[in-house]
Amino acid sequence: MARVSSAAYVTAVLRFLQAFNRGDLDACEQILDPQIEWHSAISYKGRSEVRAMLQTLSERFTRAQARPDDFREAAGHVLIIVCFHEGDPDAPRAEQRQSWIADMSEEGLMRWVLAYPSPAEAARALEALAAAVPKVQV
């Protein structure tokens, strides 16, 4: 099984966020593995459920925009801090930060996402995942 590089993670997530910023949920869907699992307060399975969640998220803003605030990689997973914010300068300022740990398929598609309430909790979870991965002796 080939390991996906950190650069591939960053590229996929940036493509995903750029599509979201354009309001192109079709393009967002294509970056998701067909069997995507997205776990937050509620779990979503499959592209259609995740798409519906993204649609609901985008409707919280007049013009939803997302920017990555941080990327960290450990043990084949990546921690992404994403800030969703109001992109309409005439609308009231609004912002929602989300912290994700994501995994990708060999095809470079987002396979699962675990959402955490804070960056600190996500960082602790990423450290635990890294610690659980067996070390390879050379």
Side-chain angles (χ1 to χ4, degrees):
M1 176 188 231
R3 186 170 173 267
V4 178
S5 71
S6 297
Y9 273 107
V10 171
T11 300
V13 171
L14 289 177
R15 285 182 33 234
F16 180 81
L17 295 177
Q18 289 167 348
F20 182 85
N21 288 346
R22 291 190 310 271
D24 188 352
L25 295 183
D26 290 336
C28 286
E29 245 186 289
Q30 295 308 307
I31 299 166
L32 302 174
D33 185 277
Q35 305 303 314
I36 179 80
E37 292 187 23
W38 195 296
H39 302 281
S40 56
I42 300 172
S43 291
Y44 306 92
K45 293 186 179 185
R47 286 178 170 167
S48 62
E49 286 187 15
V50 172
R51 180 191 177 112
M53 179 269 300
L54 292 170
Q55 181 68 44
T56 299
L57 175 62
S58 71
E59 290 170 356
R60 295 180 187 159
F61 303 92
T62 304
R63 194 179 92 211
Q65 294 290 285
R67 73 172 184 271
D69 283 348
D70 193 11
F71 285 94
R72 290 183 227 162
E73 188 272 338
H77 303 291
V78 68
L79 166 64
I80 308 133
I81 310 297
V82 179
C83 181
F84 292 93
H85 60 97
E86 181 56 66
D88 182 348
D90 297 325
R93 182 179 159 95
E95 192 172 275
Q96 178 185 349
R97 286 175 58 102
Q98 293 190 10
S99 304
W100 305 338
I101 294 178
D103 189 46
M104 296 187 57
S105 68
E106 290 180 22
E107 295 79 26
L109 301 174
M110 294 172 69
R111 181 171 42 198
W112 56 256
V113 175
L114 303 174
Y116 290 85
S118 74
E121 288 178 73
R124 282 192 295 276
L126 184 66
E127 289 170 9
L129 276 171
V133 173
K135 306 290 186 241
V136 177
Q137 297 291 326
V138 237

